[in-house]
Amino acid sequence: MTEKPPKKEKIPRQPMPEQDSQIRKRNFEEVPLGYTKELAVKEAERCLQCKKPSCMEGCPVSIDIPGFIKSIKKGDFAKAVRKIWERNALPAVCGRVCPQEIQCEGKCILGKKGDPVAIGNLEKFVADMEREHGNGELPPKSDPTGKRVAVVGSGPSGLTVAGDLILKGHEVTIFEAFHKPGGVLVYGIPEFRLPKEIVYSEVNTLEKLGVKVECNTVVGKTVSLDELFEQGYDAIYVGVGAGLPRFLDIPGENLIGIYSANEYLTRANLMKAYLFPEYDTPLARGKDVVVFGAGNVAMDSARTAMRLGADRVRIVYRRSRDEMPARSAEIHHAEEEGIEFFLLTAPTRFLGDKNARLTDVECLRMKLGEPDESGRRRPIPIEGSEFKLECDLAVIAVGAGANPLLTKSTEDLKINKWGYIVADPETGKTIKKGVWAGGDIVTGQATVILAMGAGRKASDSIHQYLAWGW
Amino acid sequence: MFEILERQDMADGTVVLNEISAPLIAEKAEPGQFVILKANETGERIPLTMADTDPNKGTITIIYQIVGKSTALFKSLQVGERFQDVIGPLGEPTHIEKLGTVVCVGGGTGVAVLHPITRGMKEIGNHVIAIIGARNKDLLILEDKMKAASNELHVCTDDGSYGHHGFVTDVLKDVLEEEDVKLVVAIGPVPMMKFVCSVTEKYKVKTFVSLNPIMVDGTGMCGCCRVSVGGKTRFACIDGPEFDGHEVDFDELMQRLQAYKEQESVAYEKFLHE
Ligand SMILES: Cc1cc2nc3c(=O)[nH]c(=O)nc-3n(C[C@H](O)[C@H](O)[C@H](O)COP(=O)(O)OP(=O)(O)OC[C@H]3O[C@@H](n4cnc5c(N)ncnc54)[C@H](O)[C@@H]3O)c2cc1C
Ligand code: SF4
Ligand code: FES
C-alpha cells in the first residue's frame, strides 16, 4: 500500500500580534506588535504570485506587490523594502495607515474566497526591519543641478516631493509652520497608531540627503510665495494640507470642554499633553466623552480620550455602520477598547453649567432615506426623538476644510468654491508660474497615500520644468 | 536664532521685557500682530502681541506678566539664552489711519501692546490722547514711552498712589464728554476692555479691542481661539486679534480663559517647588 502524499495545507492569514485591548486602552504604545520574521515569511508564502496581480491595481502608487512579497518569502528583507521604495518612500507609514481593505488587499485574489494576503502588515514589517536593522545606506543622488526648490508644508505630500527632488540633484528646502515637521503624521495621527519615531527617522533621512527643514515658518505670514521666488527659488510646491477645522454650527459650541479634533489631537500628539505636567500643555481629561464623526480622525480622538482615562467614550454618527469612513482595523480596535457607537444619531445642541462647562449634548435619532450626491443614503431626522447624552468632553471630528491663510496672501493662485487650490490632476501645476500644489489642499482631506501620489506626480513635473521650462 | 539680547524686569518684577533676535519676523511685523513662543522642548505654545520691533537690528520685543508656569519659565531665561521656537508675525495688523482725535486706553501689560499702536496713530497725523492705568504706582509700565508716543497722556492708579485716583474709564468718560473722539483703542485685562466698551457704546464711539484667548497653532487650524463677535464664531488668531469691541462677547471670553485653571495651578506650583 502506497501512502498518498499529504495534501498541502492552506496557510491561514497570519494574525498580527497585538497588545491586549484591556491593557492598551490605557497606554500610548503602538497597538500592533509587528510580525516576527517567521510570521512574515509564512504570510508571504500565501501569495500566489499572480501573473496579472490585481492587488497592484488597487494600490494608488502601483507598488510591485508580488515582487516585494517574493523577496520576503526568500528572506531577503532588504531587497523587499528597496522594491517598495521604487514607488513609495514611506512604507513604514503606509503599512500602518493605508486603508488596505479598499486598496491592495481589497483587490487581492485570495480575498474572493478567504482572507487576502496581509499586504499592509508585510509592508510595515520590511520597513521596520530596514529602520531597525538596515545598514542605513542612502540612495544614490544625481549631480547638483544648481536649481532650488521650496516645499511648503512637511506632511506626506511635501516629504515625497522633497525626497524625489533631492535625489534628482536639486537643492530643496521645506518650510513648515509648526515647530516640528511631519504634518498630520505628527500632529494628528496618535502615537499608538504611528509612533513619532518613525516619522522623525524619515525626516532625518531626508536631512542626511541634504534637504533643509525650516520650521516655524508660516508661508503667507513670515514669508510669501513671491518673496521665496525673490530669494532665488526656481519652483515651489504647496502641500499645506486641509488645516481648517469644521464645527457643527449648533448652539453651545463654544462651551468649555468642546474641542475640534484638530485641537484635541494637536494638544495630545504634537504638544504631548498626555504627559502633562511633565510637558506643559494641558488637555481636559474627560470622564464622559462624546466624539462626533466616524472617520479615522474620530476613531483617533475617541481612543485618545480612552487612553487619557475616560470612563465612557461614545461615537455619535449621523449615518449607519456601512457608511463609516474609517479604516476597518481602526473601527475594530476601537470596539475592542470599549468605545460605544451611537449610529444614526445627530447632535442638535450643547448644554452647560453656570461656569460654561459642558454637561450634556442633545441628540436626535435619524433614519436613512434616499441616496444623496455621494451615493450614500441620506440621514433624515426622526421628529420628536430628542434625547440627552451626559458628557464633560466633546470632540468634533466631522471633517476639515481649506485653511485660507496661504491662499489669501497669494492672489494669483486660483481656488475653487470650497477654497481648495486648483491644480492639474496629472502634474500638480497651478495657474501661477513655477508653483505646484497637491495633497489635501487640492483634494480636501483624503489619505496619506493619495497625498504622496500627488507629490510624486508634481515632483516629476517640477523636475521637467527645471530642465525644460514651464 | 531667537536669542535674548536684552532683558529687563518691570513693575516690581511682576512683568518682564525680552528683546529677541528674530530677523524674519522683525522685518515683516506690524503693530497689533503677535508671535507664538515656546521656551523649550517640553514647553507650551504661548501667544504674545509684540510690544516693539526693530527691523534694522532684527529684533522683536515682548513684555509679559508672570501669570503661570510658562511665563515664569520665560522669566527665568537670561540674556544669551534662547527661546526654542518663535513663530510669526501672526494675526491681522491694526488698521492705522488718519481720523482726527483717537483715544488709546491701556491697562496692565496691555500698555505694552498699545504703545506701537499709539505711536502709529500719532505718526499718521491723529491727535492721540492716551490713558493708561495700573493697580498701583509700582505696577505701572512704559509711562515715558507712552508720553512720547501720544499728544496727551493721562495716568490712573486704582489705589491713588499715582496720577488720577480711579479707573481708566473715569478719565475716558471726561475725554468723551469734551472731545470729538473718532476712535477708541482699548487693550488690557478683559474686564477693563468690557468696561471701556460699555462706556464708549453710550457715546457711540467705535472701539477696537485686542483679544487674548488661549491658542495652540495661531494659524487657524485648531479653533481653540474661537470668540463670539456679533453673534458669529471667529478665530482670534487669523480674524483678529483686534475686533470691534461693541460686538465682542466678553463674558464668554472670560469663561473660556478659565478652561485650564486647575491644570495651570498644578503646573505652576510644581514649577515653583522645583
Ligand atoms: C487624525 C487624522 C487621522 C488620519 N488617519 C489617516 C489614516 O489612517 N490613513 C490615511 O491614509 N490618512 C489618514 N488621515 C489623512 C491624512 O493624514 C492626510 O490626507 C494627509 O496627511 C495629507 O497630507 P498633506 O501632505 O497634504 O498635508 P498635511 O499632512 O496636512 O501636512 C501639511 C503641513 O503643512 C503645514 N502648513 C500648513 N499651512 C502652512 C503654511 N502656510 N506655511 C507652512 N506650512 C504650512 C502644516 O502645519 C502641516 O504640517 C488622517 C488625518 C487625520 C487628521
Ligand atoms: S502603499 Fe498602501 S495600497 Fe499600496 S501596497 Fe502598500 S498598503 Fe497597499
Ligand atoms: S489658535 Fe488654533 S485656530 Fe487660532
Side-chain angles (χ1 to χ4, degrees), chain B residues 190-227:
Chain B
V190 184
M192 179 214 104
M193 292 192 285
K194 183 183 172 185
F195 229 27
V196 166
C197 289
S198 70
V199 170
T200 57
E201 204 159 15
K202 285 193 201 100
Y203 291 88
K204 297 199 169 48
V205 178
K206 192 158 185 76
T207 304
F208 278 118
V209 292
S210 179
L211 305 185
N212 58 339
I214 302 174
M215 294 189 184
V216 181
D217 59 300
T219 62
M221 72 71 84
C222 79
C224 170
C225 62
R226 56 199 194 275
V227 288

Side-chain angles (χ1 to χ4, degrees), chain A residues 76-327:
Chain A
D76 191 347
F77 308 132
K79 190 164 168 201
V81 77
R82 277 160 185 79
K83 188 97 241 157
I84 303 178
W85 279 346
E86 288 170 12
R87 307 291 317 167
N88 179 338
L90 305 173
V93 174
C94 291
R96 287 171 166 84
V97 306
C98 269
Q100 286 94 0
E101 71 274 15
I102 57 166
Q103 295 180 171
C104 46
E105 295 182 21
K107 291 272 165 75
C108 172
I109 194 92
L110 287 183
K112 293 239 160 78
K113 281 200 185 135
D115 292 323
V117 174
I119 301 168
N121 290 349
L122 290 174
E123 185 180 22
K124 164 173 147 64
F125 168 77
V126 290
D128 289 351
M129 282 296 282
E130 179 67 20
R131 192 180 63 257
E132 284 156 18
H133 308 288
N135 58 9
E137 187 194 320
L138 295 173
K141 251 173 93 168
S142 308
D143 290 336
T145 61
K147 301 285 185 187
R148 296 172 67 201
V149 181
V151 172
V152 184
S154 62
S157 74
L159 294 178
T160 301
V161 172
D164 284 355
L165 292 177
I166 197 83
L167 291 181
K168 295 199 163 119
H170 309 297
E171 261 181 58
V172 182
T173 307
I174 299 179
F175 295 97
E176 166 58 47
F178 266 129
H179 57 273
K180 283 207 167 117
V184 168
L185 307 181
V186 297
Y187 80 69
I189 303 180
E191 184 76 20
F192 55 84
R193 206 146 73 78
L194 176 63
K196 300 309 137 211
E197 258 320 298
I198 292 172
V199 185
Y200 297 139
S201 125
E202 297 294 350
V203 174
N204 208 283
T205 305
L206 291 183
E207 286 181 315
K208 279 195 209 142
L209 284 166
V211 173
K212 286 198 210 90
V213 182
E214 299 280 357
C215 287
N216 299 326
T217 312
V218 185
V219 176
K221 286 285 183 187
T222 316
V223 65
S224 68
L225 292 187
D226 289 326
E227 283 163 342
L228 288 175
F229 283 126
E230 282 163 28
Q231 287 176 19
Y233 287 96
D234 300 292
I236 302 177
Y237 179 75
V238 176
V240 292
L244 184 76
R246 207 167 275 155
F247 283 91
L248 296 165
D249 257 338
I250 59 174
E253 208 159 16
N254 292 348
L255 290 168
I256 299 169
I258 303 174
Y259 291 83
S260 74
N262 271 0
E263 182 187 353
Y264 188 71
L265 292 171
T266 301
R267 283 179 179 270
N269 299 323
L270 181 74
M271 305 311 296
K272 296 220 184 313
Y274 66 92
L275 297 175
F276 179 89
E278 194 189 321
Y279 278 71
D280 296 343
T281 304
L283 181 60
R285 297 194 170 218
K287 285 287 158 209
D288 253 317
V289 182
V290 176
V291 177
F292 302 97
N296 288 318
V297 187
M299 300 303 143
D300 285 346
S301 305
R303 298 171 70 198
T304 298
M306 185 57 94
R307 281 159 174 76
L308 287 172
D311 295 332
R312 277 189 93 171
V313 182
R314 286 155 295 178
I315 285 198
V316 168
Y317 182 49
R318 290 190 310 146
R319 303 178 190 256
S320 69
R321 179 166 292 261
D322 291 343
E323 284 90 23
M324 300 208 304
R327 292 177 81 216

Side-chain angles (χ1 to χ4, degrees), chain B residues 6 32 34 60 64 101 104 111-112 123 148 161 167 199 209 218 225 231 259:
Chain B
E6 214 192 295
F34 67 95
I60 61 170
Y64 50 91
T101 300
C104 294
V111 176
E123 275 169 7
S161 52
F167 299 122
V199 170
V209 292
C225 62

